[in-house]
Amino acid sequence: MRTVDVRVPATSANLGPGFDALGLALSLYDEIEAALTDEHGVHVTVEGEGAGEVALGEGHLIIKVMRETFGRMGVPQPEGIRLRCRNRIPHARGLGSSSAAVCAGILAARALSGAEFSDDQVFALATEMEGHPDNVAPCLAGGLIVAWSDHTGSPRMVKLAPDERVRPVALIPTARLATETARGLLPKDVPHKDASFNAGRAALLIAALTQRPEQGLLLAATEDRLHQHYRAPAMPASADLIERLRAVGVPAVVSGAGPTVLAFSTSDTQDLIAPEVGNDWHIQLMDVDPVGANVQFPETR
């Protein structure tokens, strides 16, 4: 029985102005143990987030991803799969739980099959399954990621290292919001002046996060006109919290599609966050994960 362990980080996409282009890997992890067995069928156990909610058979997302990956690699489907999930990434909160599952499933299938499947192919398949590269890229590679698609439609990424003085803080509500719902609120077209505004802010955000994490620069760099105010009616508590945090000088944005709020904490702002949050939110202080997904065979640990 071949077994592999895969650890995948949470991610935050968009980061304010970098809609569908910027992503950050966070030090909050899901861990899976996957094995191919001679027994027919699938056996799945889930601990932590999603326990008692997600499918435990062929309908489990990671199992479906593994099956698809085996097919793409041209290897026979295994007789049996045993999967154990230890989940810490909240579901439907804008922290990349589905991207983490997709990446974990692809990497587990590649490791267990031993087939030739490059990192670029992993990235392309993960992007195809998830729909956008801005979550899967930091999940796979870690760090701060700029992601885009080239003229052929293939996903590409550049990895950057944020300044170590920047600490991401996730403010996680109990309420959930499906990505499809949040994306459905976006208009088909936006004003040219708003697109121009976001281009400048996204460029400034890269400079602020990697070189000059000053409170004033980060606050200006996290302004957005492309998506957050359109989605605000679906997450009024998040929109209100962001407004209050920014009013006291804390750079705060919607994490991914929400409703989690991501704040960038520095020495100037770390004491300003908690008083604005209240009891309805879980405050999760994190680091930037520098390496992304990790794959190990148990005997090599």
Side-chain angles (χ1 to χ4, degrees):
M1 182 173 63
R2 299 195 68 192
T3 303
V4 67
D5 294 338
V6 183
R7 188 181 79 161
V8 283
T11 53
S12 183
N14 303 326
L15 309 182
F19 180 66
D20 281 357
L22 300 182
L24 193 67
L26 305 171
S27 60
L28 182 67
Y29 305 95
D30 283 354
E31 298 173 337
I32 73 162
E33 178 187 281
L36 304 185
T37 73
D38 295 330
E39 300 176 0
H40 182 74
V42 169
H43 179 70
V44 179
T45 59
V46 176
E47 303 171 13
E49 295 288 337
E53 299 177 0
V54 299
L56 296 180
E58 293 285 354
H60 191 279
L61 177 56
I62 293 178
I63 295 294
K64 292 194 290 186
V65 170
M66 291 180 69
R67 295 287 195 197
E68 178 66 20
T69 306
F70 288 134
R72 295 295 184 96
M73 293 187 299
V75 301
Q77 293 290 337
E79 284 294 319
I81 302 175
R82 189 191 69 196
L83 179 67
R84 181 182 181 188
C85 305
R86 293 178 289 274
N87 297 336
R88 300 179 184 87
I89 305 173
H91 290 189
R93 304 295 208 291
L95 289 170
S97 61
S98 63
S99 294
V102 167
C103 293
I106 296 172
L107 292 172
R110 180 177 72 168
L112 290 170
S113 71
E116 292 293 330
F117 203 63
S118 70
D119 290 344
D120 284 344
Q121 288 175 298
V122 169
F123 181 32
L125 181 56
T127 300
E128 178 186 335
M129 290 184 173
E130 184 62 14
H132 300 277
D134 50 338
N135 273 120
V136 297
C139 184
L140 291 169
L144 170 64
I145 294 292
V146 183
W148 74 100
S149 296
D150 65 17
H151 67 283
T152 69
S154 299
R156 296 288 183 261
M157 72 167 91
V158 170
K159 178 180 176 180
L160 303 170
D163 191 290
E164 61 183 14
R165 289 170 290 178
V166 177
R167 297 288 303 278
V169 183
L171 309 172
I172 307 170
T174 56
R176 301 185 181 190
L177 179 64
T179 300
E180 295 79 6
T181 300
R183 189 166 285 273
L185 295 173
L186 299 179
K188 185 176 181 180
D189 301 299
V190 297
H192 185 276
K193 64 179 181 179
D194 289 345
S196 175
F197 178 94
N198 268 53
R201 291 305 193 274
L204 179 60
L205 182 58
I206 294 297
L209 286 176
T210 60
Q211 299 177 25
R212 294 180 57 185
E214 303 161 15
Q215 180 181 359
L217 281 184
L218 280 171
L219 195 62
T222 49
E223 292 179 311
D224 160 69
R225 292 184 182 176
L226 287 188
H227 67 103
Q228 292 185 144
H229 67 285
Y230 294 112
R231 291 168 162 172
M235 52 184 109
S238 300
D240 177 69
L241 178 58
I242 289 171
E243 183 177 353
R244 287 187 283 110
L245 287 170
R246 296 186 67 86
V248 297
V250 177
V253 298
V254 175
S255 179
T260 291
V261 172
L262 186 76
F264 292 109
S265 174
T266 63
S267 59
D268 295 326
T269 60
Q270 60 188 8
D271 295 329
L272 301 175
I273 296 175
E276 300 296 331
V277 175
N279 297 325
D280 295 331
W281 302 77
H282 172 64
I283 301 177
Q284 182 86 43
L285 178 63
M286 292 179 283
D287 295 311
V288 176
D289 175 273
V291 297
N294 179 268
V295 179
Q296 291 187 345
F297 293 96
E299 60 270 18
T300 65
R301 286 182 301 192

